[in-house]
Amino acid sequence: MASSNIIILTKDNFAKQVLNSATPVLVDFWAEWCGPCKMIAPVLDELADEYSGKVAIAKVNIDENQELATEYGVRAIPTLLIFQNGQVAEQIVGLRSKRDLKASFDKLT
Amino acid sequence: MAENIPSLPGGAVPPKPPEGSKVQPKKETVRINLPPKPSAAPTIKLPTLPPGGPTAGAPSSFPPPTQIATPTGSKAAAAPVAPRPSPSRAPAPAPRPAVSALDKALAVVAAIVVIAAAVSTFLCMNVLNHDGLP
């Protein structure tokens, strides 16, 4: 079960939830049929709970929001974009460990 | 049967990770094909100025309009373009200026001077021939 702290993004709420967010936001571009995406999902759920209030974690289903994936040049999934002050601060492509992601978060906070 | 299976050469065995090192997960990804990002944002074409020049109400701070290709090339977005003068309508070359009266007078004077010089030369030669020869 996905964490309640995970934000589901669409093109309608992307600007409000990500670009105008006061806290860093990790955006996970994923798809249902993507195995590595499913593998990283529980890690992101845990991080969403651990970093609640400090780093927001959001998801973009690329099948439902191709425009967003195209906008940010997503060519492979999972792609994790960390936004800070409306700008892409870090791009992570592929499966990563929880420790690596925490290290990226700790650099931002 | 087991003895017929050749043993793997040493190089085929993946090297063991060093003791104590933590195994990093593979950076597994799934390639996706998405439509390419538009290379240029849609542009707003400024209306072209009339041939007579900017009108009093037209903003003068706009730069001259440049033709930028839109990615879609829709006909609806195409701004009207000021008609270019066709080659057939090109202004005819200016007529050659007519010879002025002053030019004609100078030409006549020059001709007279040349004739006078020739006549005087001829006369001088005759005089010298009659007077100079013993």
Side-chain angles (χ1 to χ4, degrees), chain B residues 36-54:
Chain B
K37 184 179 180 180
S39 58
T43 57
I44 300 173
K45 292 185 177 181
L46 297 175
T48 56
L49 297 175

Side-chain angles (χ1 to χ4, degrees), chain B:
Chain B
M1 291 298 287
E3 60 274 12
N4 292 335
I5 300 174
S7 60
L8 290 173
V13 179
K16 293 182 178 179
E19 293 294 332
S21 67
K22 295 182 179 178
V23 177
Q24 294 291 329
K26 293 181 181 178
K27 296 175 183 177
E28 297 177 3
T29 61
V30 177
R31 303 292 294 180
I32 58 174
N33 290 320
L34 293 173
K37 184 179 180 180
S39 58
T43 57
I44 300 173
K45 292 185 177 181
L46 297 175
T48 56
L49 297 175
T55 59
S60 59
S61 61
F62 287 147
T66 55
Q67 294 292 328
I68 302 173
T70 57
T72 56
S74 62
K75 293 178 180 177
V81 178
R84 285 185 170 184
S86 61
S88 61
R89 292 182 57 198
R96 295 175 61 184
V99 178
S100 66
L102 178 63
D103 294 336
K104 290 180 179 177
L106 290 175
V108 170
V109 170
I112 292 172
V113 168
V114 168
I115 293 171
V119 170
S120 61
T121 302
F122 179 74
L123 292 176
C124 289
M125 291 177 64
N126 286 337
V127 170
L128 290 175
N129 287 336
H130 290 295
D131 294 341
L133 293 177

